[in-house]
Amino acid sequence: MTAEGQGVGQWADAYASAREFVAQMTLEEKVNITRGYTDESNTCAGNTGSVPRLNWHGLCLMDAGNGVRATDMVSAWPSGLHVGASWDRNLTYERGLWMAREFRAKGVNIALGPNAGPLGRTPLGGRNWEGFSVDPYLSGRLNAETIVGMQDAGVMANLKHLIANEQETYRRPYFGVEAASSNIDDKTLHEYYLWPFMDGVRAGAASIMCSYNRINNTYGCENSKLMNGVLKGELGFQGFVMLDWNAQHTLDSANAGLDMLMPSGGSWGNNLTEAVRNGTVDEKRVADMATRILAAWYLVGQDKDFPTPGVGMKNLTEPHEPIDARDIRSKPVLMEGALAGHVLVKNEKQALPLREPKMVSVYGYDATVPATKNADTLFQLGYMSSREMGQAVLGREHHFDQAARGGTIVAGGRAGSNAPPYISDPLSAIQQRAKKDNTWVNWELSSSNPDVNGASQACLVFINAMATEGWDREGLHDDFSDALVKNVAAKCANTIVVIHAAGVRLVDQWIEHPNVTAVVIAHLPGQDSGKALVGLLWGEDNFSGKLPYTLARNESDYPVYAPCGRGRDNTTSPQCDYTEGVYLDYRAFDARNMTPRYEFGYGLSYTSFSYSDLVLSTGEGLCKSSSSGTNLWDVVATAQVTVRNSGAVAGEEVAQLYLGIPGAPPRQLRGFEKVKLAPGQDATARFELTRRDLSAWHVGMQTWVVQDGEYEVFVGASSRDIRLNGVIAVNDE
């Protein structure tokens, strides 16, 4: 049964306006705004139909997660994974706000992001870098902040991909082979994969994108249980559901809850009009589609002074007048975001910060920008449009190299990426710093076994780990890069390794080498990459990032490693059984008592922090009960701790709260707070726990339930570095 939008809460006024507008429309006009058209006059990823009679000009939809793609005069923002490593809600909101202002200036109505799926079930996932974290709580909080920021800027957010779109391998049907089916039990669906979508819906997401893959053997964009039953019914989603490009299979998707078709009309258009006339689709369903789309348009204020759709998205091969969308006020946010996602995981022998060294040597392909912008390097670095990419690799098998050896990476590949106005690369930034300090700089960027000048006080080795939409990664390290690190370390007593990584990158082949003194996981910082890194290496800024995933010692340590394939019998219906349930990443490591190399939430600083005075309090409403409706979000308990900067320099600490829910993984993230402290200064980190935070999904009752028992509370600097403990007791009374 289809679920009709109710127009409640923050959607009330938008629905009133949308219903009034839709009442004036013919059936053909309603159908027209639900389908896409190819518009050769712009580079929008999609364009909806318009209603000229009522002066409604349609919508421009465009990728994606770290800036406006396929255009100029915009910024390349830190990628989702980099933002996840910042653990910074305020900065995440600001990024969403300023990035969306660039979308708006280009006439983009709908930004195709942020990303709550994939979460990262397999560390080899090609699109993991587009999302914030493998943890659903951290992902949910940062997706919500991004959505609010984007929509405060007047641009519709599109939360994707619903749901369990956890691998690129067989993500779509190819040559007679069906897309992989993500087979998930109801409890795992709610407690893990749906969790960040709940946050997105609560934040007011204008739209949600259904996924290419199958879920329990039904394609995501035809799955009525998910779209009508769970999303629009259980979660009360009031916006519209659009499909991932060309992910529709039959007209039945309309009744299953799909509201918008992209990039072209497909089986809708005249067919949908005829389906209404012959009774296959109720006209109320089409009216609901149009109402949901227009309500989202009104919700973000696009009825007031919004640019002509696609006005700044002209074909770049033709003369046009680009809009300079880059507001000077966005610059601090770009730089702060670039700084905040770097994670210092090793720092021995006081290797960092560097203090006016007389000589440094720089090694590795990742230290500088690509030498040329030909098709291969552009594709590898993720700066090409999908159309260009298709032309570049058409007709030949293409394996994706784990290391983007053409130059430094500031983003992953394809739809989530965009073209930066410039790249501040590490070597250039180091040279600029060297000029200031009168430092001699050596560099050798191509050899895996370079010569090392014995007078070098620091040897900086730059490697990377690339990932892209369309391919899953073939591994979590590469032989060339590991050999480079080991060869330099054999010759240099102060070897500092910097890894730009689009996901998990293992380090155990060389991390314990006595000459590897410091390691930075630099993730994907966007256009200000080098400048931000140099500020951190030289101590002008302090590291504050924490890992948004677990860094294991071996590939086999992960509960799920490789993506699902066709199996031994070479089936044409690949099946991915999510038998691990919610036991992924640190939850699995904790449950198995397995020691990672660096745990979830881990990250070093140039200062130190102490924790004290854990205070827990519970509200009168906390008791064993089912949860539904508005009370699911009620704050039922609070925790607060005092965090003190006990070191000698200013820094930021991410205080983390984990909860031990009876019958669940030993610890689950349920709160984090980033505090900025001068030396000797302290602050109170306060965590609010909602009823949902304490609840487990009850399959039989089909609701969230707070169980009877003791809930252990763990507060500390990471999932393993627990500084304070407490207990919240729940009983029937």
Side-chain angles (χ1 to χ4, degrees):
M1 182 177 179
T2 57
E4 190 172 328
Q6 300 301 305
V8 296
Q10 62 183 305
W11 288 86
D13 291 343
Y15 260 76
S17 297
R19 285 168 176 153
E20 182 178 345
F21 196 106
V22 171
Q24 304 174 58
M25 297 167 65
T26 65
L27 171 61
E28 289 77 9
E29 289 169 337
K30 295 171 193 173
V31 168
N32 201 40
I33 72 171
T34 70
R35 59 179 174 173
Y37 292 91
T38 300
D39 187 342
E40 296 295 338
S41 72
N42 64 48
T43 56
C44 299
N47 297 269
T48 70
S50 59
V51 188
R53 183 178 66 86
L54 299 177
N55 201 33
W56 194 77
H57 302 293
L59 306 172
C60 166
L61 298 78
M62 195 59 208
D63 300 313
N66 71 310
V68 192
R69 190 167 68 92
T71 189
D72 52 18
M73 307 304 288
V74 295
S75 306
W77 294 80
S79 296
L81 185 68
H82 200 86
V83 178
S86 79
W87 292 63
D88 191 320
R89 293 196 301 272
N90 293 331
L91 192 56
T92 303
Y93 168 84
E94 291 291 330
R95 170 182 175 269
L97 177 73
W98 288 103
M99 185 167 62
R101 285 178 173 169
E102 295 186 355
F103 278 91
R104 177 187 171 94
K106 287 290 185 177
V108 177
N109 303 84
I110 305 172
L112 300 175
N115 198 326
L119 279 171
R121 177 178 183 256
T122 164
L124 297 179
R127 301 189 75 174
N128 291 353
W129 64 275
E130 295 183 44
F132 298 110
S133 174
V134 67
D135 180 76
Y137 181 91
L138 180 55
S139 173
R141 294 299 297 268
L142 298 184
N143 269 289
E145 294 290 351
T146 302
I147 289 164
V148 173
M150 294 175 77
Q151 296 189 174
D152 280 354
V155 172
M156 290 182 251
N158 176 238
L159 183 61
K160 58 188 186 183
H161 305 82
L162 189 75
I163 197 168
N165 180 41
E166 294 295 320
Q167 61 181 58
E168 297 303 281
T169 304
Y170 296 111
R171 68 169 182 164
R172 301 178 67 176
Y174 294 104
F175 304 110
V177 180
E178 298 289 346
S181 177
S182 300
N183 302 325
I184 313 178
D185 65 89
D186 193 37
K187 186 175 177 67
T188 300
L189 176 75
H190 282 82
E191 293 185 1
Y192 207 90
Y193 296 97
L194 190 66
W195 186 284
F197 285 93
M198 294 176 70
D199 288 290
V201 170
R202 180 170 169 77
S207 61
I208 286 178
M209 181 183 288
C210 55
S211 58
Y212 285 127
N213 57 290
R214 295 180 293 165
I215 302 94
N216 296 336
N217 285 292
T218 299
Y219 277 99
C221 295
E222 292 189 342
N223 199 311
S224 180
K225 170 63 177 176
L226 287 175
M227 291 190 290
N228 283 323
V230 175
L231 180 62
K232 294 181 177 180
E234 180 186 318
L235 302 190
F237 176 58
Q238 301 295 296
F240 61 93
V241 179
M242 73 165 69
L243 84 176
D244 208 341
W245 267 223
N246 296 307
Q248 187 201 31
H249 298 270
T250 70
L251 187 62
D252 290 341
S253 56
N255 287 329
L258 185 64
D259 300 305
M260 181 182 287
L261 196 67
M262 282 289 155
S264 59
S267 64
W268 285 12
N270 293 337
N271 289 341
L272 182 55
T273 306
E274 181 58 31
V276 170
R277 290 174 176 153
N278 67 26
T280 305
V281 177
D282 196 310
E283 186 168 358
K284 288 178 61 179
R285 171 79 271 262
V286 177
D288 182 58
M289 295 177 192
T291 301
R292 286 175 176 272
I293 294 167
L294 284 165
W297 184 72
Y298 281 112
L299 179 74
V300 300
Q302 292 187 2
D303 57 316
K304 305 180 184 73
D305 193 32
F306 195 86
T308 302
V311 66
M313 301 297 297
K314 301 304 180 183
N315 191 325
L316 299 183
T317 62
E318 299 175 359
H320 69 288
E321 295 296 328
I323 297 174
D324 188 352
R326 293 174 290 144
D327 192 299
I328 191 66
R329 289 170 292 175
S330 70
K331 291 302 182 184
V333 181
L334 277 159
M335 177 54 70
E336 289 169 18
L339 288 165
H342 289 76
V343 182
L344 180 64
V345 296
K346 182 179 183 180
N347 190 23
E348 297 180 353
K349 304 178 183 178
Q350 296 183 320
L352 295 176
L354 298 173
R355 304 184 188 278
E356 298 186 6
K358 296 303 180 184
M359 179 186 288
V360 297
S361 295
V362 178
Y363 306 101
Y365 54 87
D366 183 70
T368 191
V369 293
T372 181
K373 285 190 175 182
N374 61 36
D376 283 336
T377 57
L378 281 170
F379 165 64
Q380 189 177 47
L381 296 177
Y383 305 148
M384 296 176 68
S385 71
S386 56
R387 182 183 305 171
E388 292 169 325
M389 186 281 300
Q391 293 170 347
V393 302
L394 186 64
R396 60 187 173 95
E397 185 178 4
H398 198 104
H399 290 279
F400 204 83
D401 196 340
Q402 291 307 288
R405 288 165 59 183
T408 193
I409 60 173
V410 300
R414 290 188 67 182
S417 189
N418 74 337
Y422 60 83
I423 296 176
S424 173
D425 64 273
L427 180 57
S428 297
I430 290 168
Q431 290 174 331
Q432 291 162 12
R433 177 68 197 215
K435 180 180 178 181
K436 177 181 177 181
D437 290 349
N438 196 27
T439 299
W440 179 277
V441 181
N442 306 304
W443 63 89
E444 166 52 72
L445 308 184
S446 58
S447 174
S448 65
N449 190 16
D451 292 331
V452 175
N453 190 315
S456 298
Q457 292 170 275
C459 298
L460 305 174
V461 182
F462 289 88
I463 62 176
N464 64 42
M466 185 57 174
T468 181
E469 177 188 8
W471 284 266
D472 288 316
R473 297 166 63 190
E474 295 180 1
L476 299 181
H477 60 85
D478 70 280
D479 293 339
F480 179 92
S481 303
D482 289 334
L484 169 63
V485 174
K486 288 185 284 189
N487 288 334
V488 172
K491 305 170 187 177
C492 182
N494 189 24
T495 300
I496 298 165
V497 183
V498 178
I499 310 173
H500 286 108
V504 171
R505 207 291 182 184
L506 299 187
V507 298
D508 268 69
Q509 289 199 19
W510 42 260
I511 192 67
E512 294 181 354
H513 193 293
N515 289 344
V516 174
T517 55
V519 178
V520 178
I521 309 296
H523 293 116
L524 302 169
Q527 65 193 43
D528 289 325
S529 176
K531 185 177 179 181
L533 178 66
V534 166
L536 292 163
L537 294 180
W538 265 259
E540 292 179 350
D541 298 287
N542 200 345
F543 287 93
S544 65
K546 304 274 190 173
L547 292 176
Y549 51 78
T550 295
L551 195 59
R553 295 175 180 269
N554 303 289
E555 291 90 341
S556 59
D557 293 347
Y558 289 102
V560 177
Y561 177 63
C564 302
R566 296 174 63 179
R568 292 182 178 179
D569 61 354
N570 209 30
T571 180
T572 58
S573 180
Q575 302 293 312
C576 299
D577 297 327
Y578 285 40
T579 53
E580 72 283 350
V582 300
Y583 288 86
L584 288 166
D585 202 75
Y586 70 91
R587 303 177 183 207
F589 280 78
D590 290 347
R592 294 183 294 175
N593 198 27
M594 178 176 287
T595 302
R597 170 57 63 185
Y598 298 114
E599 71 269 17
F600 177 84
Y602 174 83
L604 299 175
S605 169
Y606 291 145
T607 190
S608 56
F609 301 94
S610 61
Y611 289 68
S612 62
D613 303 325
L614 173 62
V615 177
L616 300 174
S617 61
T618 57
E620 295 180 0
L622 181 58
C623 61
K624 180 181 177 182
S625 64
S626 63
S627 304
S628 60
T630 57
N631 72 352
L632 191 61
W633 303 96
D634 289 348
V635 175
V636 295
T638 61
Q640 66 180 42
V641 298
T642 299
V643 181
R644 183 178 181 83
N645 183 343
S646 52
V649 297
E652 294 179 83
E653 171 70 332
V654 180
Q656 303 162 40
L657 183 147
Y658 296 84
L659 201 61
I661 298 173
R667 285 184 289 275
Q668 297 182 74
L669 182 69
R670 286 296 185 265
F672 61 94
E673 190 69 29
K674 195 166 191 175
V675 292
K676 187 174 185 178
L677 299 170
Q681 184 181 14
D682 59 39
T684 299
R686 189 172 187 273
F687 310 94
E688 293 185 339
L689 297 171
T690 66
R691 191 178 302 276
R692 182 182 69 145
D693 291 332
L694 274 70
S695 295
W697 181 253
H698 194 291
V699 176
M701 297 173 62
Q702 285 292 287
T703 191
W704 294 93
V705 172
V706 176
Q707 304 168 81
D708 194 12
E710 292 188 341
Y711 291 68
E712 291 187 86
V713 178
F714 309 91
V715 178
S718 75
S719 63
R720 291 284 173 106
D721 186 3
I722 302 301
R723 308 290 182 87
L724 301 168
N725 301 74
V727 172
I728 295 174
V730 178
N731 53 54
D732 291 321
E733 298 178 1

